[in-house]
Amino acid sequence: MTDFAFTRRQFLLLAFLTLAWGVNWPVMKVGVTGFPPLFFRTVSMWLGLPVLAAVLAIQRVPFRIARRDWRELVGLSITNMIVWHILAILAVQALSSGRAAILGYTMPIFSALWGLGTQQMRRTRIAAPTLAIVFWMTALSTLVMSVATFLFERDRWQLPGAPTALAIAYNAVLIFGLAQPIWLVLARNLPPIASSMSVMLIPVLGTVSGAWWLSEALHWQDGAAIALVLVAIASVMWPTRSRRAPAEAAEVGNL
């Protein structure tokens, strides 16, 4: 990690991701309050697809994925999007937005699954631009979400009220249209520690923004979780320097 430095562009993009995703936890909480959660996610993804397509068109990125790569694309969609989006939106309806964010980014089973998807993206053999891969992953995930909400929620479908409509728009444009593709592009190119540590502040921001915006009560467990997240980040960053110090001292002693 000490040998890696973010470029200004990467740093700004990661700052945008942290802010957009962190604030999105209370945004989702508003969106699914009294509204079917899978339907909320599905509508957001359908509206986000044209935004993502526009990004590819502006960047002049070809949409084509070779037929031989579609099997791997399905696997990437499952680990990077489908399972995560279903579990996250169901969790945020059942829990406070802050606790859902903390669990989503720190509970071993969720973190391992999300980390697996990131590693698969780094090692993918699909011979296509990352943005094209993300577009088709999002499209496949949208179809799965559509089937899920039809099977389990169609009796509760309704027109969204103003708060839910704004939350859908936020997710469509900022999350599915911009943040998610930016993250997967960066995750495919940044070192694992750099990309992983850069998003660990998201549950912290999600908890704080949920408490401020939605007046969600914070308990000692929430404070302890935030403290442990910060300690985890520090424990990864600090030992790198301490390991270098003895080596440097030995080099000086050998002169």
Side-chain angles (χ1 to χ4, degrees), residues 1-7 10-11 14 115 118-119 121-123 183-199 236-237:
M1 184 68 180
T2 53
D3 296 329
F4 177 81
F6 291 116
T7 65
Q10 289 171 337
F11 179 81
L14 287 170
T118 302
Q119 290 301 319
M121 278 296 296
R122 288 195 180 98
R123 299 173 182 176
W183 160 247
L184 290 172
V185 169
L186 290 176
R188 196 177 181 185
N189 294 284
L190 292 177
I193 292 180
S195 58
S196 300
M197 290 300 102
S198 63
V199 298
V236 171
M237 304 296 289

Coordinates of all heavy atoms in Angstrom, one line a residue, residues 1-7 10-11 14 115 118-119 121-123 183-199 236-237:
M1 N 0.8 -1.2 0.0 CA 0.0 0.0 0.0 C 0.9 1.3 0.0 O 0.5 2.3 -0.6 CB -0.9 0.0 1.2 CG -1.9 1.1 1.3 SD -3.1 1.0 0.0 CE -4.1 2.4 0.3
T2 N 2.0 1.2 0.7 CA 2.9 2.4 0.7 C 3.4 2.7 -0.6 O 3.8 3.9 -0.9 CB 4.0 2.2 1.7 OG1 4.7 1.0 1.4 CG2 3.5 2.1 3.1
D3 N 3.5 1.7 -1.5 CA 4.1 2.0 -2.8 C 3.0 2.5 -3.8 O 3.3 2.7 -5.0 CB 4.7 0.7 -3.4 CG 5.9 0.3 -2.6 OD1 6.6 1.2 -2.0 OD2 6.2 -0.9 -2.5
F4 N 1.8 2.5 -3.4 CA 0.7 3.0 -4.2 C 0.2 4.3 -3.8 O 0.0 4.6 -2.7 CB -0.5 1.9 -4.2 CG -1.6 2.4 -5.0 CD1 -1.6 2.2 -6.4 CD2 -2.7 3.0 -4.4 CE1 -2.7 2.6 -7.2 CE2 -3.8 3.4 -5.2 CZ -3.8 3.2 -6.6
A5 N -0.1 5.2 -4.8 CA -0.6 6.5 -4.6 C -1.8 6.7 -5.5 O -1.7 6.4 -6.7 CB 0.4 7.6 -4.7
F6 N -2.9 7.2 -5.0 CA -4.1 7.5 -5.9 C -3.7 8.6 -6.8 O -3.1 9.6 -6.3 CB -5.3 7.8 -5.0 CG -5.9 6.7 -4.3 CD1 -5.9 6.7 -2.9 CD2 -6.4 5.6 -4.9 CE1 -6.4 5.7 -2.2 CE2 -7.0 4.6 -4.2 CZ -7.0 4.6 -2.8
T7 N -4.2 8.6 -8.0 CA -4.1 9.8 -8.8 C -5.2 10.7 -8.4 O -6.1 10.3 -7.6 CB -4.3 9.4 -10.3 OG1 -5.7 8.9 -10.5 CG2 -3.3 8.4 -10.8
Q10 N -8.6 9.4 -9.5 CA -9.0 8.2 -8.7 C -9.5 8.6 -7.3 O -10.5 8.1 -6.8 CB -7.9 7.2 -8.6 CG -7.6 6.5 -9.9 CD -6.3 5.6 -9.8 OE1 -5.5 5.9 -8.9 NE2 -6.2 4.6 -10.6
F11 N -8.8 9.6 -6.7 CA -9.2 10.0 -5.4 C -10.6 10.7 -5.4 O -11.4 10.5 -4.6 CB -8.1 11.0 -4.8 CG -8.5 11.5 -3.5 CD1 -8.2 10.8 -2.3 CD2 -9.1 12.8 -3.3 CE1 -8.5 11.3 -1.1 CE2 -9.4 13.3 -2.1 CZ -9.1 12.5 -1.0
L14 N -13.3 8.1 -5.9 CA -13.5 7.3 -4.7 C -14.3 8.1 -3.7 O -15.1 7.6 -2.9 CB -12.2 6.8 -4.2 CG -11.6 5.6 -5.0 CD1 -10.2 5.3 -4.5 CD2 -12.5 4.4 -4.9
G115 N -16.5 -9.4 -1.7 CA -15.1 -9.4 -2.1 C -14.8 -10.5 -3.2 O -13.9 -10.2 -4.0
T118 N -15.5 -8.9 -6.5 CA -14.5 -7.9 -6.9 C -13.3 -8.6 -7.4 O -12.7 -8.2 -8.4 CB -14.1 -7.0 -5.7 OG1 -15.2 -6.4 -5.2 CG2 -13.0 -6.0 -6.1
Q119 N -12.9 -9.7 -6.8 CA -11.7 -10.5 -7.2 C -12.0 -11.1 -8.6 O -11.1 -11.2 -9.5 CB -11.4 -11.6 -6.2 CG -10.8 -11.1 -4.9 CD -9.5 -10.3 -5.2 OE1 -8.7 -10.7 -6.0 NE2 -9.3 -9.2 -4.5
M121 N -13.9 -9.8 -10.8 CA -13.9 -8.8 -11.8 C -12.4 -8.5 -12.2 O -12.1 -8.2 -13.3 CB -14.5 -7.5 -11.3 CG -16.0 -7.4 -11.4 SD -16.6 -7.4 -13.1 CE -15.8 -5.8 -13.7
R122 N -11.5 -8.5 -11.2 CA -10.1 -8.3 -11.5 C -9.5 -9.3 -12.4 O -8.6 -9.1 -13.2 CB -9.3 -8.2 -10.2 CG -9.5 -7.0 -9.3 CD -8.5 -6.8 -8.3 NE -8.7 -5.6 -7.5 CZ -9.3 -5.6 -6.3 NH1 -9.7 -6.8 -5.8 NH2 -9.5 -4.5 -5.6
R123 N -10.0 -10.6 -12.2 CA -9.4 -11.7 -13.0 C -10.2 -12.1 -14.2 O -9.9 -13.2 -14.8 CB -9.2 -12.9 -12.0 CG -8.3 -12.6 -10.8 CD -8.3 -13.7 -9.8 NE -7.5 -13.4 -8.6 CZ -7.4 -14.2 -7.6 NH1 -8.1 -15.4 -7.5 NH2 -6.6 -13.9 -6.6
W183 N -17.2 2.2 -9.6 CA -16.5 1.3 -8.6 C -15.9 0.1 -9.3 O -14.8 -0.3 -9.0 CB -17.6 0.8 -7.5 CG -17.1 -0.4 -6.8 CD1 -17.7 -1.6 -6.9 CD2 -16.0 -0.6 -6.0 NE1 -17.0 -2.5 -6.1 CE2 -16.0 -1.9 -5.5 CE3 -15.0 0.3 -5.5 CZ2 -15.0 -2.4 -4.7 CZ3 -14.0 -0.2 -4.7 CH2 -14.0 -1.5 -4.3
L184 N -16.7 -0.6 -10.2 CA -16.2 -1.8 -10.8 C -15.0 -1.5 -11.8 O -14.1 -2.3 -11.9 CB -17.3 -2.5 -11.5 CG -18.4 -3.1 -10.6 CD1 -19.6 -3.6 -11.4 CD2 -17.8 -4.2 -9.8
V185 N -15.0 -0.3 -12.4 CA -13.9 0.0 -13.2 C -12.7 0.2 -12.4 O -11.6 -0.3 -12.7 CB -14.2 1.3 -14.0 CG1 -12.9 1.9 -14.7 CG2 -15.2 1.0 -15.1
L186 N -12.8 1.0 -11.2 CA -11.7 1.2 -10.3 C -11.2 -0.1 -9.7 O -10.0 -0.4 -9.5 CB -12.1 2.2 -9.3 CG -12.3 3.7 -9.7 CD1 -12.7 4.5 -8.6 CD2 -11.0 4.2 -10.3
A187 N -12.2 -0.9 -9.2 CA -11.8 -2.2 -8.6 C -11.1 -3.1 -9.5 O -10.2 -3.9 -9.0 CB -13.1 -2.9 -8.1
R188 N -11.3 -3.0 -10.8 CA -10.6 -3.9 -11.7 C -9.1 -3.4 -12.0 O -8.3 -4.1 -12.4 CB -11.3 -3.9 -13.1 CG -10.9 -5.0 -14.0 CD -11.7 -5.0 -15.3 NE -11.3 -6.1 -16.1 CZ -11.8 -6.3 -17.4 NH1 -12.7 -5.5 -17.8 NH2 -11.4 -7.3 -18.1
N189 N -8.9 -2.1 -11.6 CA -7.6 -1.5 -11.9 C -6.7 -1.2 -10.7 O -5.5 -1.1 -10.7 CB -7.7 -0.3 -12.7 CG -8.3 -0.6 -14.1 OD1 -7.6 -1.1 -15.0 ND2 -9.6 -0.3 -14.3
L190 N -7.4 -1.0 -9.5 CA -6.6 -0.6 -8.3 C -6.2 -1.8 -7.6 O -6.8 -2.9 -7.7 CB -7.5 0.2 -7.4 CG -7.9 1.6 -7.8 CD1 -8.9 2.2 -6.8 CD2 -6.7 2.5 -8.0
P191 N -5.1 -1.7 -6.8 CA -4.6 -2.8 -5.9 C -5.8 -3.2 -4.9 O -6.6 -2.3 -4.6 CB -3.4 -2.3 -5.2 CG -2.9 -1.1 -6.0 CD -4.2 -0.6 -6.7
P192 N -5.8 -4.5 -4.5 CA -6.9 -4.9 -3.6 C -7.1 -4.1 -2.4 O -8.2 -3.7 -2.0 CB -6.6 -6.4 -3.3 CG -5.7 -6.8 -4.5 CD -5.0 -5.6 -4.9
I193 N -6.0 -3.8 -1.7 CA -6.1 -3.0 -0.4 C -6.6 -1.6 -0.7 O -7.4 -1.1 0.0 CB -4.7 -2.9 0.3 CG1 -4.3 -4.3 0.8 CG2 -4.7 -2.0 1.4 CD1 -3.0 -4.4 1.5
A194 N -6.1 -1.0 -1.8 CA -6.5 0.4 -2.1 C -8.0 0.4 -2.4 O -8.7 1.3 -1.8 CB -5.8 0.9 -3.3
S195 N -8.6 -0.5 -3.2 CA -10.0 -0.5 -3.5 C -10.8 -0.9 -2.3 O -11.9 -0.3 -2.1 CB -10.3 -1.4 -4.7 OG -9.8 -2.7 -4.4
S196 N -10.4 -1.8 -1.5 CA -11.2 -2.3 -0.3 C -11.2 -1.2 0.8 O -12.3 -0.9 1.3 CB -10.6 -3.6 0.2 OG -10.5 -4.6 -0.7
M197 N -10.1 -0.7 1.1 CA -10.1 0.3 2.2 C -10.8 1.6 1.8 O -11.4 2.3 2.7 CB -8.6 0.7 2.6 CG -7.9 -0.5 3.3 SD -8.7 -0.9 4.9 CE -9.5 -2.5 4.4
S198 N -10.8 1.9 0.5 CA -11.5 3.2 0.1 C -13.0 3.2 0.3 O -13.5 4.3 0.4 CB -11.2 3.4 -1.4 OG -11.7 2.4 -2.2
V199 N -13.6 2.0 0.4 CA -15.1 2.0 0.6 C -15.5 1.6 2.0 O -16.7 1.6 2.3 CB -15.7 1.0 -0.4 CG1 -15.5 1.4 -1.8 CG2 -15.2 -0.5 -0.1
V236 N -4.7 -1.8 9.0 CA -4.2 -2.2 7.7 C -3.1 -1.1 7.2 O -2.1 -1.5 6.6 CB -5.3 -2.3 6.6 CG1 -4.7 -2.5 5.2 CG2 -6.2 -3.5 7.0
M237 N -3.4 0.1 7.5 CA -2.5 1.2 7.0 C -1.2 1.3 7.8 O -0.2 1.5 7.2 CB -3.3 2.5 7.0 CG -4.6 2.5 6.2 SD -4.4 2.3 4.5 CE -3.6 3.8 4.0

